Amino acid sequence: MPRHLAIVLLCMSSTTFAAEGMWTLDKLPQSAPEDNHGFVPDAAWIETAMKASVRLAGGCSGSFVSVDGLVLTNNHCVVGCVSGLSSEQQDHLNQGFLATTRAGELRCPATELNRLEAITDVTERMHAATAELEGAAFREAKNAAKAQIESECSGDDTRVRCDVVELYGGGHYDLYRYHRYQDVRLVFAPEYDIGFFGGDPDNFQFPRYNLDAAFLRAYEDGKPATVKHWFALSTAGVKEGDLTLVTGHPGRTSRLLTVAQLERRRDLDLIDRLLYMSELRGLLTRYRAEGEEQARQAQGDLTFLENSIKVYGGQLRALQSQPRMEDKRQAESMLKAAANARERLAWRAIAEAQQVYADLRTPYVLIERGDGFYSRYFQIARDLVRGAAERDKPSDERLREYQEAALPRLEQNLFSTAPIYPQYETVKFGWSLSKLREALGPDDAFVKLVLGRDAPEAVAAKLVAGTRLGEVAERRRLWEGGSRAIAESTDPFIELARAVDVPARAVRRKYADQVRSVEERHAQTLAAVRFRAHDGAVYPDATFTLRLSYGVVRGWQEQGRRIEAFTTLQGLYTRASGSPPFRLSPRWIEAEEDVDTATPFNFVTTNDIIGGNSGSPMLNREGRLVGLVFDGNIHALGGAFWFDEALNRCIAVDSRAIAEALRTVYRADALVDELLTAAD
Amino acid sequence: MPRHLAIVLLCMSSTTFAAEGMWTLDKLPQSAPEDNHGFVPDAAWIETAMKASVRLAGGCSGSFVSVDGLVLTNNHCVVGCVSGLSSEQQDHLNQGFLATTRAGELRCPATELNRLEAITDVTERMHAATAELEGAAFREAKNAAKAQIESECSGDDTRVRCDVVELYGGGHYDLYRYHRYQDVRLVFAPEYDIGFFGGDPDNFQFPRYNLDAAFLRAYEDGKPATVKHWFALSTAGVKEGDLTLVTGHPGRTSRLLTVAQLERRRDLDLIDRLLYMSELRGLLTRYRAEGEEQARQAQGDLTFLENSIKVYGGQLRALQSQPRMEDKRQAESMLKAAANARERLAWRAIAEAQQVYADLRTPYVLIERGDGFYSRYFQIARDLVRGAAERDKPSDERLREYQEAALPRLEQNLFSTAPIYPQYETVKFGWSLSKLREALGPDDAFVKLVLGRDAPEAVAAKLVAGTRLGEVAERRRLWEGGSRAIAESTDPFIELARAVDVPARAVRRKYADQVRSVEERHAQTLAAVRFRAHDGAVYPDATFTLRLSYGVVRGWQEQGRRIEAFTTLQGLYTRASGSPPFRLSPRWIEAEEDVDTATPFNFVTTNDIIGGNSGSPMLNREGRLVGLVFDGNIHALGGAFWFDEALNRCIAVDSRAIAEALRTVYRADALVDELLTAAD
């Protein structure tokens, strides 16, 4: 894409461009641009799109695909569930899982689904609550108003989840009301070898051959949930050039950040994060090699790490592009020119907050965000300790993650029966304590508070050996016992979480007051300038809320080479080498003769997506499910900061491959019947 | 330091400044600046400084400290030797080593000492050989001229080593003639706990408590070498404000690089290197934890990695300093203003070469520099394969590392009896192959050539299981058998090294012709401009050749806090916690009552040093050894790019602590007697 176009895109209006944009469902572009194939969704289409789409609370998307609450999402989105249901005896992660009857569907230890029901504009109320405030006062007023609105919305109904969503960095606020499903069961997950075929080497690459698909089912009152809105699977599929619509929950983009914020991301956050994760990856890579059981324990974390390292690495390379950053600078200059003198101060205030952050980041990330305490036991201990203290206060005065609206999900996690492995925790925790000491220095008072005179690995071993937080009953006892139970506990992880709580809260407060509040306060100003400059036709940055993206099926050109839009199952068999991560499971090898290898397998489109969109349904204009989004290409990683229609691609599993695999490889007849009740 | 001063320093003349500068011994500042305490070394002082200083070929400095060839250097500089002499039965690395008789001194498997004998200016001859040439022609002519000059100098005498040294990026060339010692024996190394007290957490930190000292002895004809020039150990020591002179071999600085080159270092080299090393560090950290034997195997590599990560991390943070880079830009503008139109093209040419490098770096680093083949077996195989091919050519047409002058050192390494651990090699090699696949992609032709259809770990296990390169005799057979033996070998590592040699040489040639040659060709131009602008009073960037640095004993101010210049042995006992890396060995614990704890232990000075200076003697004006350089403080890491006298500090072991430790803790009477033959 020519450079000047990027500038245009930052100021884009919906009439000039098809693929860029993650639109909220209440403010879809109302014109019918040629590139959108003249498609403007009507109210019924939008309602179905909204109510048949679901969010997986852990960070993925999905959709209802039958009236009986069947949900389609990615295999990589259910890895946590499948791991939690696996053991040395029953290795569903590697061998796959198929429930041939409803009774055989297994409850995921900690999966929550949210289905969006309604969007309400609460901007005026939020702005009124925070008018003229700064710093801590601004933050407290905002949080209190949010909590108040959310609690009015959800009442005492744990099936209702309400979130005040901050758009345009606070320029606009909407209340999102969700129906919450906490009884979610595993129906089908493929073997790891096919569900993650190509592994880390192929991640963010195309051509691709990956059955990254899994099925869950939402239950209510012990029975499969009956849903009004769902997407029928298309057996006709799409072809090159066809319109594709993606509804899903993109997690986070940073397209509206200032240059100072992007530079901080580039020079500080991304590099530090990548170094931390890379070392951890090396540690766990060796741990995995120590035995089959160790491999099983570490697999989920490693997959997450490898994916994150690619994402952050791609973001870093994107932000190192001098021409791209120059575009950002020019766009910012143009916006500044449209601002008045008072508004222009916002940029400086935000830049100064980045300097504050630079000094604060190390302790903040280690002590409060948990990089220095990388253990499931510690996360549990912190939730128990803080949860007890916070629940003694009114909901709207608590830290966000302990307000009433958040408790159902928190409790689900806290009481998850997913196993915790002491040896594995010792390794991770000891290592993270050594990072804590390395970053703050052995003479730092906080480090001494944590380690005393002992070595990090020795502290970790002692704490893990002494804790009972691996037992769900003990966690429940401490949770229900509240502050008193916490104060009396001699569990070493509870003692640690208690001991570090004051300094951890202090650094969190400093970050909230001196960095986040400043950024948010002034982002409101920038949003106002931006709306004025572009007549309101700006989509907000992603916020892990439901968005619609328009695109078309299209390959791309790279270094003079054409990348075709589709792969086939034949390509899978050709590429399979016998060695992981290019190994086929026995089931797929046996099925080779029966499978229709001409079936399209994976394909690419121009839809504008980002992490969080994993599991998103890809629809045709009739609202049929033609694909299942599971990845972007390597260029899509820059999508955190800008969209490049020439190169950014969304990668999906073809609906025809899902049907063919279920029918021919897995002989999952009941599931196929359930999916194909409505013909194209 | 005020920012404007940094600019002055880049253009410094020797009359304005004391501490900055790593001066070659043939061109010392001739004036007597006040800050130098009026000290101008005379010819005798300089001759002793030159001939009593030694270089350890692996990358350290040292000095003769007795007439019988006794050499003082850092403990961390002899770790390779001590590891090579250690085994499960005899763990000298952790338990220390002291030869109480000459007969008990153990030969280091692969240590070489070089003592500088003479410096001769060969600039005219080198410039004449390369005049008007570009690219490959320039490189070939330069290498041929270098090889010719070096071979004329050394003749057939393997005791003579001659290097043409390129200063100011080729603005000046000197011939350095060394006396070479290859029979080097271990006399004393302290226990790991005291020789690396504080470990990685304390590395580059001060206050410090580290006996990072060891003794070697040079032998010739099976007898201790008799040397004319050596430094007597001072028992009087130094005090705050005293003049200190450091002679040593700083490895590499980048103070004269262009802004484009610094940006490449910042955005490409340092980040990629740090990520690679961090992941490797994690891998080896876990390997080390698997058992005592594994810990011993991995210790040397881990120490190296942790040190490198601190160095590169510090360099990255330095280059991220916007004010500092702005200074560099201004200095460059000033230099450009002093250049004529033709000269100014040099900056552009160098900047363009950085773009070429950006595309080339990944394959270059993985395939040629060896990041993709991280195994001792592979290094050996490559030396055998290339060594055979290269030795069939005249010396001056060979790759530099196989020219006659380099062969003694190469052979010493190749035939080193230091053990190689198959399990450890499998882990490292498998991991590096996975990095190769990750970076180039699984479909890359080179990756397929190396891995076929197998997983990286499987390839590594197969090769390690099949190789005989762990046997010195087999290595010797292949080396002596030359091209024919190599062609006939079926050793899997030889086969691999043969298979990858053509692509590896191709990428090396591309880098040499399109990047290095361009940089070097145009650096000559920049050097000429710089000399003209500053009347020749510029010291060259470090080149791992002998330099003299002037400094004074001085603490510093940091964040309003004063850091004192000295620590004492008392401080060591106070800081010892019982847990590594702050654990004292039994010997030190037992000696506490007898030791004079008021003895100064470590101290800081303003000497301008960098990696490679480790083990450098620190002298007073009488030429007595008052300290042993072993580190810089954290600010000294930016010393790669600039010198900041307010903050940069060199860290040394006090000569009084060395004497006290040998006398009281180690009861090394003979060694003490040998060191203290001459009183202060």
Short mmCIF file of all heavy atoms in Angstrom, two decimals, chain A residues 93-124:
data_model
loop_
_atom_site.label_atom_id
_atom_site.label_comp_id
_atom_site.label_asym_id
_atom_site.label_seq_id
_atom_site.Cartn_x
_atom_site.Cartn_y
_atom_site.Cartn_z
N LEU A 93 -5.94 -33.81 25.35
CA LEU A 93 -5.23 -32.75 24.64
C LEU A 93 -4.55 -33.32 23.40
O LEU A 93 -4.66 -32.75 22.32
CB LEU A 93 -4.19 -32.13 25.59
CG LEU A 93 -3.54 -30.84 25.13
CD1 LEU A 93 -4.55 -29.71 25.04
CD2 LEU A 93 -2.41 -30.43 26.09
N ASN A 94 -3.88 -34.41 23.54
CA ASN A 94 -3.16 -34.98 22.41
C ASN A 94 -4.00 -35.93 21.59
O ASN A 94 -3.78 -36.08 20.39
CB ASN A 94 -1.88 -35.67 22.89
CG ASN A 94 -0.83 -34.64 23.27
OD1 ASN A 94 -0.48 -33.79 22.46
ND2 ASN A 94 -0.37 -34.70 24.50
N GLN A 95 -4.95 -36.60 22.25
CA GLN A 95 -5.71 -37.61 21.52
C GLN A 95 -7.07 -37.12 21.04
O GLN A 95 -7.76 -37.84 20.32
CB GLN A 95 -5.86 -38.85 22.41
CG GLN A 95 -4.50 -39.56 22.54
CD GLN A 95 -4.46 -40.54 23.67
OE1 GLN A 95 -5.49 -40.98 24.16
NE2 GLN A 95 -3.24 -40.88 24.09
N GLY A 96 -7.43 -35.92 21.41
CA GLY A 96 -8.70 -35.38 20.97
C GLY A 96 -9.85 -35.88 21.84
O GLY A 96 -9.68 -36.76 22.69
N PHE A 97 -11.01 -35.26 21.62
CA PHE A 97 -12.18 -35.62 22.42
C PHE A 97 -13.43 -35.50 21.56
O PHE A 97 -13.60 -34.53 20.82
CB PHE A 97 -12.29 -34.69 23.64
CG PHE A 97 -13.52 -34.94 24.46
CD1 PHE A 97 -13.52 -35.92 25.46
CD2 PHE A 97 -14.69 -34.22 24.23
CE1 PHE A 97 -14.66 -36.16 26.21
CE2 PHE A 97 -15.84 -34.46 24.99
CZ PHE A 97 -15.81 -35.43 25.98
N LEU A 98 -14.29 -36.51 21.64
CA LEU A 98 -15.59 -36.41 20.98
C LEU A 98 -16.64 -37.05 21.88
O LEU A 98 -16.54 -38.22 22.24
CB LEU A 98 -15.58 -37.14 19.62
CG LEU A 98 -16.94 -37.25 18.92
CD1 LEU A 98 -17.47 -35.87 18.52
CD2 LEU A 98 -16.85 -38.16 17.70
N ALA A 99 -17.65 -36.24 22.25
CA ALA A 99 -18.76 -36.78 23.04
C ALA A 99 -19.79 -37.31 22.04
O ALA A 99 -20.32 -36.55 21.23
CB ALA A 99 -19.37 -35.70 23.91
N THR A 100 -20.03 -38.61 22.08
CA THR A 100 -20.98 -39.17 21.11
C THR A 100 -22.41 -39.06 21.61
O THR A 100 -23.36 -39.23 20.87
CB THR A 100 -20.64 -40.64 20.81
OG1 THR A 100 -20.44 -41.31 22.06
CG2 THR A 100 -19.36 -40.73 20.00
N THR A 101 -22.55 -38.76 22.93
CA THR A 101 -23.89 -38.50 23.48
C THR A 101 -23.82 -37.23 24.30
O THR A 101 -22.74 -36.80 24.71
CB THR A 101 -24.34 -39.63 24.43
OG1 THR A 101 -23.44 -39.63 25.55
CG2 THR A 101 -24.29 -40.98 23.74
N ARG A 102 -24.96 -36.63 24.57
CA ARG A 102 -25.00 -35.43 25.42
C ARG A 102 -24.44 -35.73 26.79
O ARG A 102 -23.74 -34.93 27.39
CB ARG A 102 -26.44 -34.92 25.57
CG ARG A 102 -27.10 -34.53 24.26
CD ARG A 102 -26.93 -33.05 23.95
NE ARG A 102 -27.09 -32.84 22.50
CZ ARG A 102 -28.16 -32.28 21.94
NH1 ARG A 102 -29.14 -31.83 22.68
NH2 ARG A 102 -28.22 -32.13 20.63
N ALA A 103 -24.74 -36.93 27.28
CA ALA A 103 -24.27 -37.29 28.62
C ALA A 103 -22.75 -37.34 28.68
O ALA A 103 -22.15 -37.16 29.74
CB ALA A 103 -24.85 -38.64 29.04
N GLY A 104 -22.14 -37.59 27.53
CA GLY A 104 -20.68 -37.68 27.50
C GLY A 104 -19.99 -36.33 27.41
O GLY A 104 -18.76 -36.26 27.43
N GLU A 105 -20.76 -35.25 27.29
CA GLU A 105 -20.14 -33.92 27.21
C GLU A 105 -19.61 -33.53 28.59
O GLU A 105 -20.33 -33.64 29.59
CB GLU A 105 -21.17 -32.92 26.69
CG GLU A 105 -21.59 -33.27 25.24
CD GLU A 105 -22.73 -32.42 24.66
OE1 GLU A 105 -23.27 -31.55 25.38
OE2 GLU A 105 -23.07 -32.65 23.49
N LEU A 106 -18.35 -33.08 28.63
CA LEU A 106 -17.68 -32.85 29.92
C LEU A 106 -17.63 -31.36 30.25
O LEU A 106 -17.24 -30.55 29.40
CB LEU A 106 -16.25 -33.39 29.88
CG LEU A 106 -16.09 -34.91 29.67
CD1 LEU A 106 -14.61 -35.27 29.68
CD2 LEU A 106 -16.85 -35.67 30.77
N ARG A 107 -17.93 -31.03 31.48
CA ARG A 107 -17.95 -29.62 31.87
C ARG A 107 -16.53 -29.03 31.95
O ARG A 107 -15.66 -29.56 32.63
CB ARG A 107 -18.63 -29.46 33.22
CG ARG A 107 -18.76 -28.01 33.63
CD ARG A 107 -19.76 -27.79 34.72
NE ARG A 107 -19.80 -26.38 35.09
CZ ARG A 107 -20.66 -25.86 35.94
NH1 ARG A 107 -21.58 -26.63 36.50
NH2 ARG A 107 -20.62 -24.57 36.22
N CYS A 108 -16.33 -27.93 31.28
CA CYS A 108 -15.03 -27.24 31.33
C CYS A 108 -14.87 -26.62 32.71
O CYS A 108 -15.78 -25.98 33.22
CB CYS A 108 -14.96 -26.14 30.28
SG CYS A 108 -14.91 -26.76 28.59
N PRO A 109 -13.68 -26.78 33.31
CA PRO A 109 -13.50 -26.32 34.68
C PRO A 109 -13.69 -24.80 34.84
O PRO A 109 -14.12 -24.36 35.90
CB PRO A 109 -12.05 -26.70 35.01
CG PRO A 109 -11.69 -27.78 34.04
CD PRO A 109 -12.49 -27.52 32.82
N ALA A 110 -13.38 -24.01 33.84
CA ALA A 110 -13.44 -22.55 34.07
C ALA A 110 -13.75 -21.78 32.80
O ALA A 110 -13.14 -20.78 32.51
CB ALA A 110 -12.13 -22.06 34.68
N THR A 111 -14.73 -22.26 32.04
CA THR A 111 -15.08 -21.55 30.81
C THR A 111 -16.39 -20.79 31.01
O THR A 111 -17.35 -21.32 31.54
CB THR A 111 -15.23 -22.54 29.64
OG1 THR A 111 -13.98 -23.21 29.47
CG2 THR A 111 -15.60 -21.82 28.35
N GLU A 112 -16.38 -19.52 30.59
CA GLU A 112 -17.59 -18.71 30.66
C GLU A 112 -17.88 -18.16 29.28
O GLU A 112 -16.98 -17.68 28.60
CB GLU A 112 -17.40 -17.57 31.67
CG GLU A 112 -18.58 -16.61 31.70
CD GLU A 112 -18.41 -15.48 32.73
OE1 GLU A 112 -18.06 -15.78 33.88
OE2 GLU A 112 -18.61 -14.31 32.35
N LEU A 113 -19.15 -18.22 28.89
CA LEU A 113 -19.57 -17.62 27.62
C LEU A 113 -20.44 -16.40 27.90
O LEU A 113 -21.25 -16.41 28.82
CB LEU A 113 -20.40 -18.61 26.80
CG LEU A 113 -19.74 -19.92 26.37
CD1 LEU A 113 -20.75 -20.76 25.57
CD2 LEU A 113 -18.52 -19.64 25.52
N ASN A 114 -20.26 -15.35 27.10
CA ASN A 114 -21.11 -14.17 27.20
C ASN A 114 -21.76 -13.92 25.85
O ASN A 114 -21.08 -13.89 24.83
CB ASN A 114 -20.26 -12.93 27.56
CG ASN A 114 -19.48 -13.09 28.86
OD1 ASN A 114 -18.36 -12.65 28.95
ND2 ASN A 114 -20.07 -13.74 29.86
N ARG A 115 -23.07 -13.72 25.89
CA ARG A 115 -23.79 -13.38 24.66
C ARG A 115 -24.35 -11.98 24.82
O ARG A 115 -25.08 -11.69 25.77
CB ARG A 115 -24.93 -14.38 24.43
CG ARG A 115 -25.66 -14.14 23.12
CD ARG A 115 -26.90 -14.99 23.04
NE ARG A 115 -27.87 -14.54 24.04
CZ ARG A 115 -28.81 -15.31 24.57
NH1 ARG A 115 -28.90 -16.58 24.23
NH2 ARG A 115 -29.65 -14.83 25.47
N LEU A 116 -24.00 -11.12 23.89
CA LEU A 116 -24.41 -9.72 23.99
C LEU A 116 -25.91 -9.59 23.73
O LEU A 116 -26.44 -10.11 22.75
CB LEU A 116 -23.62 -8.88 22.98
CG LEU A 116 -23.89 -7.37 22.97
CD1 LEU A 116 -23.62 -6.75 24.34
CD2 LEU A 116 -23.05 -6.68 21.89
N GLU A 117 -26.60 -8.86 24.64
CA GLU A 117 -28.05 -8.68 24.54
C GLU A 117 -28.44 -7.27 24.13
O GLU A 117 -29.41 -7.07 23.41
CB GLU A 117 -28.70 -8.96 25.91
CG GLU A 117 -28.45 -10.34 26.44
CD GLU A 117 -29.44 -11.35 25.85
OE1 GLU A 117 -30.65 -11.18 26.07
OE2 GLU A 117 -28.98 -12.28 25.17
N ALA A 118 -27.71 -6.29 24.64
CA ALA A 118 -28.11 -4.90 24.38
C ALA A 118 -26.95 -3.95 24.61
O ALA A 118 -26.07 -4.21 25.41
CB ALA A 118 -29.26 -4.51 25.31
N ILE A 119 -26.98 -2.85 23.86
CA ILE A 119 -25.98 -1.79 23.99
C ILE A 119 -26.72 -0.49 24.32
O ILE A 119 -27.68 -0.14 23.62
CB ILE A 119 -25.19 -1.59 22.68
CG1 ILE A 119 -24.52 -2.90 22.25
CG2 ILE A 119 -24.17 -0.47 22.83
CD1 ILE A 119 -23.82 -2.83 20.89
N THR A 120 -26.30 0.21 25.37
CA THR A 120 -26.94 1.47 25.75
C THR A 120 -25.88 2.55 25.93
O THR A 120 -24.88 2.33 26.60
CB THR A 120 -27.67 1.32 27.11
OG1 THR A 120 -28.36 0.08 27.13
CG2 THR A 120 -28.63 2.47 27.34
N ASP A 121 -26.14 3.69 25.35
CA ASP A 121 -25.18 4.81 25.47
C ASP A 121 -25.25 5.41 26.87
O ASP A 121 -26.32 5.85 27.31
CB ASP A 121 -25.54 5.86 24.40
CG ASP A 121 -24.52 6.99 24.35
OD1 ASP A 121 -23.71 7.12 25.28
OD2 ASP A 121 -24.54 7.74 23.34
N VAL A 122 -24.14 5.40 27.58
CA VAL A 122 -24.10 6.01 28.93
C VAL A 122 -23.05 7.12 28.99
O VAL A 122 -22.55 7.46 30.07
CB VAL A 122 -23.84 4.95 30.02
CG1 VAL A 122 -25.02 3.99 30.14
CG2 VAL A 122 -22.54 4.18 29.77
N THR A 123 -22.71 7.68 27.84
CA THR A 123 -21.65 8.68 27.78
C THR A 123 -21.95 9.88 28.67
O THR A 123 -21.10 10.33 29.45
CB THR A 123 -21.45 9.16 26.33
OG1 THR A 123 -21.27 8.01 25.50
CG2 THR A 123 -20.24 10.06 26.22
N GLU A 124 -23.16 10.39 28.56
CA GLU A 124 -23.46 11.62 29.31
C GLU A 124 -23.30 11.41 30.80
O GLU A 124 -22.70 12.22 31.50
CB GLU A 124 -24.90 12.08 29.02
CG GLU A 124 -24.95 12.95 27.78
CD GLU A 124 -26.34 13.56 27.61
OE1 GLU A 124 -26.93 13.99 28.63
OE2 GLU A 124 -26.83 13.61 26.46
#
